[in-house]
Amino acid sequence: MSLEQRMRSAVAALLHVTGESQIDLAAAVGVSQAQVSRRQSGTAAWSLADCEAVAAHYGIDVLDLLAGPTRATESVNEDRRRIPARRAAAARPATTDGET
């Protein structure tokens, strides 16, 4: 996975875990929702300044953001989550017969 793909995946995961919209993120980063959409679709690239602003908005280290969606979402403080990590894990149904 390329760095750009990791960034897009991390942003999507952060939006999901926090329950924020692209509009919320755009306001925090200082760009328009359309610009966030273009960056997320891959028609425009996230700049280093954008990466720093996104990481600061979510209160995570920029290296955690660039590491990908798992590391980025694990780094988000519990109070920023739409669904706390413990409850999300408990809410997942148990699988049987090798199902995932």
Side-chain angles (χ1 to χ4, degrees):
M1 180 182 290
S2 73
L3 184 58
E4 184 66 30
Q5 291 169 321
R6 265 188 277 158
M7 178 63 184
R8 288 194 309 268
S9 295
V11 168
L14 288 165
L15 290 171
H16 177 74
V17 78
T18 61
E20 290 185 341
S21 67
Q22 286 186 354
I23 294 170
D24 299 324
L25 180 60
V29 174
V31 299
S32 70
Q33 181 276 326
Q35 289 171 312
V36 171
S37 179
R38 284 192 291 275
R39 287 166 171 85
Q40 283 301 96
S41 70
T43 57
W46 288 99
S47 71
L48 290 176
D50 293 334
C51 294
E52 289 177 330
V54 169
H57 172 65
Y58 288 111
I60 64 175
D61 189 278
V62 72
L63 294 177
D64 292 330
L65 175 66
L66 296 175
T70 302
R71 181 94 159 266
T73 57
E74 288 173 349
S75 299
V76 173
N77 286 332
E78 196 74 20
D79 61 338
R80 291 289 310 267
R81 295 173 180 272
R82 174 177 55 164
I83 301 172
R86 290 177 299 235
R87 286 193 319 186
R92 288 188 205 114
T95 59
T96 60
D97 300 327
E99 295 177 12
T100 56

